Amino acid sequence: QVQLVESGGGSVQAGGSLRLSCEVSQYDFNRYCMGWFRRGPGKEREAVASISFSGVTTYYPSFTSPSVKGRFTISRDNAKNSVYLQMNSLKPEDSGMYYCATGPGATPEFCAFESNLKYWGQGTQVTVSG
């Protein structure tokens, strides 16, 4: 059974940083793209960042609000079956539940759309105050 387990969430002041991790098991991790999503209070879940199977290509959707470009960085370590989201210059509007997810695709664009994704973690809470 495929399992995705997120960690690294917590409470932080505005301007601070957090690093989220997602460990995947029972899966051919290095064959497939990975994505990070978030759901803020009263909002729909949205894509935040995604990465190709190899880690060479990343994607940060322009429709993410607030924009994460230049503040968030997605990366992966295929040897550890893990994907990461480094979040810097955090804003209160970044607060929410963060999820990692994956599906049967290789490109980061594939993993930016929920309807493509088959496996999801339970989420980790991020709260930004200030």
Side-chain angles (χ1 to χ4, degrees):
Q1 181 177 350
V2 179
Q3 284 193 315
L4 289 76
V5 180
E6 301 96 337
S7 62
S11 297
V12 65
Q13 294 283 331
S17 299
L18 284 172
R19 186 183 191 228
L20 307 184
S21 299
C22 171
E23 186 172 359
V24 184
S25 58
Q26 304 299 318
Y27 193 60
D28 283 333
F29 182 79
N30 59 6
R31 291 183 60 190
Y32 302 112
C33 57
M34 294 292 302
W36 282 99
F37 292 74
R38 69 183 177 195
R39 177 182 281 131
K43 296 182 179 180
E44 297 289 323
R45 189 160 58 186
E46 62 179 356
V48 173
S50 52
I51 190 166
S52 64
F53 73 102
S54 64
V56 171
T57 310
T58 58
Y59 176 63
Y60 302 90
S62 59
F63 51 78
T64 303
S65 179
S67 174
V68 304
K69 288 185 178 181
R71 299 190 298 125
F72 291 11
T73 303
I74 188 172
S75 61
R76 67 189 291 162
D77 185 339
N78 284 352
K80 295 183 178 180
N81 282 11
S82 294
V83 62
Y84 309 99
L85 187 67
Q86 177 67 43
M87 306 187 295
N88 299 328
S89 302
L90 282 161
K91 305 176 180 181
E93 309 91 276
D94 293 316
S95 296
M97 188 69 79
Y98 281 70
Y99 304 87
C100 62
T102 186
T107 67
E109 290 81 4
F110 184 93
C111 277
F113 292 93
E114 290 192 38
S115 58
N116 290 340
L117 304 180
K118 186 174 182 180
Y119 302 108
W120 292 81
Q122 293 299 307
T124 185
Q125 179 69 37
V126 172
T127 303
V128 185
S129 59

